[in-house]
Amino acid sequence: ANATALAVGIGLQNAPEGLAVAVALIAEGYSRPQAFFIAAATAIVEPVGGFLGVGAVALAAPLLPWALAFAAGAMIYVISHEIIPETHSRGFQKEATAGLTVGLVLMMFLDVALG
């Protein structure tokens, strides 16, 4: 079911992407058939990238908790050393604190609700 949803999502994303490539090529003077085939060729890379991604995830799965913990720590650092002081220096202490609190509560709710 997850693979089907992912395939449908990729397919839906490919249609406007291919159209954008084809329209740009037609604007540059390519014929419609040439633009179609070039746009279709740009989509060939995605399955290859998908298989490489599956391989990378399989290899990196044991490192994922450590990588996510590092990313969370980096975000906490950025918020505590950059964003909060910046908001407090411009007189938006109450709004910044309220936004931080609402964001934290929302993320905790989503974490519990989605498991």
Side-chain angles (χ1 to χ4, degrees):
N2 288 339
T4 302
L6 180 63
V8 169
I10 290 172
L12 290 174
Q13 179 265 335
N14 275 347
E17 179 183 344
L19 181 63
V21 170
V23 167
L25 290 171
I26 290 171
E28 288 296 318
Y30 286 83
S31 69
R32 287 180 184 243
Q34 285 177 320
F36 173 80
F37 286 113
I38 292 171
T42 63
I44 292 172
V45 177
E46 291 188 18
V48 174
F51 285 119
L52 290 174
V54 167
V57 167
L59 291 174
L63 299 175
L64 192 57
W66 294 97
L68 290 173
F70 177 78
M75 288 307 301
I76 289 171
Y77 174 81
V78 168
I79 289 171
S80 66
H81 285 78
E82 298 290 333
I83 296 175
I84 291 174
E86 183 70 23
T87 59
H88 283 68
S89 70
R90 296 182 183 209
F92 295 105
Q93 298 90 334
K94 291 181 182 177
E95 293 88 347
T97 303
L100 182 64
T101 304
V102 169
L104 178 66
V105 169
L106 178 64
M107 292 309 295
M108 294 305 293
F109 172 76
L110 290 173
D111 184 44
V112 171
L114 300 176

